[in-house]
Amino acid sequence: MSDLHTSTEVAIERMREAILSGDLRPGEKLHQDKLAEMLGISRTPLRTALTALAQSGLVSYESNRGFYVREFSFADVAGAFQVRAELEATACRLAASNMSEAAERNLFELVEEGDRLLSSDSLPPENLVPYRRMNVCFHTAIMNLAANPWIRTFVESLHNVPLASDRVIMWRDFYVIRRSHDDHHRIARALSLGQGERAAAIMREHITFALEHLHTQLEQFPGDFLRVPTVDPRPKRARARNQNRRNTA
Amino acid sequence: MSDLHTSTEVAIERMREAILSGDLRPGEKLHQDKLAEMLGISRTPLRTALTALAQSGLVSYESNRGFYVREFSFADVAGAFQVRAELEATACRLAASNMSEAAERNLFELVEEGDRLLSSDSLPPENLVPYRRMNVCFHTAIMNLAANPWIRTFVESLHNVPLASDRVIMWRDFYVIRRSHDDHHRIARALSLGQGERAAAIMREHITFALEHLHTQLEQFPGDFLRVPTVDPRPKRARARNQNRRNTA
DNA sequence: TTTGCACAGAATGTATCCAAAATGGCTTAT
DNA sequence: ATAAGCCATTTTGGATACATTCTGTGCAAA
């Protein structure tokens, strides 16, 4: 299964989950003793994990003062979308030069899978996870075709920004999803025709609009976005944490 | 001085230096005992430092098998330039909308400083470090003006790719430097005129050409690029390491 | 000769313990 | 009453010791 062999790796993964899912709240102090006990490990691997997460930007750190869950402003989130739009647009431009028979087929298969999942006039809840999976695969496939490892690396790290992740998709408005998938159609077609610039333009707008839509949704349904189901909802006992929050009063 | 308060932070910084300067060679195994002794610290902070460097991509790691200095292919280096070109071009586009009186003045001051450093018909060795400093400041200033923290973050992490760093500049051909600085002039002017797209285009080419030139130089003078002087050449005893290099033959 | 196993040595991963630094409350002087 | 300074407690950082995993060598069997 999971190739997480060491406590450190497990701790990194669990804490990432906990932070992205909101179990650990932004700004929250990460007490080493408590966290270590909570995860059932000692402070050594925990500290290592925290350092790693600090490097990847999910937690902040001050010497001799400890670790805190990093707080992201809306500007951070918006910036993440902006950069993601540029990076993935670049990926499209590059991918257009690297298309192969197989790559083309792969993209169209993903698009068709999306068609199936959206074939009714709504997205049934049981199709939500598969659709998200398809979406991730589609974007990842293009970045792989771009044959530039940095694009993937950076886009992945942008997915660690709470609201900028692929795991957050606005499921309220079916038309938006349909239109978004329409973009996928056009991108795949453009790429297969070697129209890199066109694919890039569509991709840029595809992601830019996602931000705009997120913004709208946030104003309309504020505070409804931190409890996001994870892609891999295996049981985690790291959850039993934020009970005793109020006794700070 | 340096705000590195803990051994861990010192270790991170030293090892980054050692790797980027080539004292630790690509692919080299990083023995924890030896390294710890070498740095005069115990394995605990060293391991933390290694984990951090692994996250930021300078070293690779396999569970229970240890850390290695990451090897970069030329494709990696080329990809780093490619992405850097896009990111910094984006920074220009964004910066153009955020220009202020002070920002404009700052950019022009940097450009003029470059003029002074290049005023003779060659770059005297004692001007090398100041010029490089100016160059870093210029690029950083634009990214700051873009007001998108991710651009800076990612470009900084691309500077951790050995040959893609600002610390590697081809000093052989004075005309290339002059022309490169000419780009700075035009970028500053374009930004001050609100010509974001133009600035972006110049910046993209500015960086793309740097790669092309690096490529040429690598073919012409291979193997001459790993011994790069560091910006901050304070004495480091981590150096006393690569004596026994030839006995790999 | 080659393949597989076992054991010894070494290196990694983790826990525990100690030192250093910071936080918070208290006293004291103004 | 307020503010500065000092001490106790808490928390972090690092060193050491222990457990686990891996590697490589040698021997035995096919």
Side-chain angles (χ1 to χ4, degrees), chain A residues 44-69:
Chain A
T44 308
L46 173 70
R47 284 177 51 70
T48 307
L50 286 169
T51 309
L53 290 171
Q55 276 287 326
S56 74
L58 266 180
V59 312
S60 60
Y61 168 74
E62 289 170 281
S63 310
N64 291 313
R65 301 198 46 193
F67 296 87
Y68 297 80
V69 178

Side-chain angles (χ1 to χ4, degrees), chain A residues 70 72-82 161 211 215, chain B residues 147-150:
Chain A
R70 172 156 167 197
F72 290 95
S73 63
F74 185 77
D76 289 324
V77 178
F81 274 93
Q82 229 171 11
V161 180
L211 168 62
H215 190 56
Chain B
N148 185 317
W150 305 106

Side-chain angles (χ1 to χ4, degrees), chain B residues 200-212:
Chain B
I202 304 170
M203 180 62 91
R204 187 182 284 109
E205 175 58 20
H206 182 69
I207 295 172
T208 302
F209 177 78
L211 168 62
E212 188 174 291

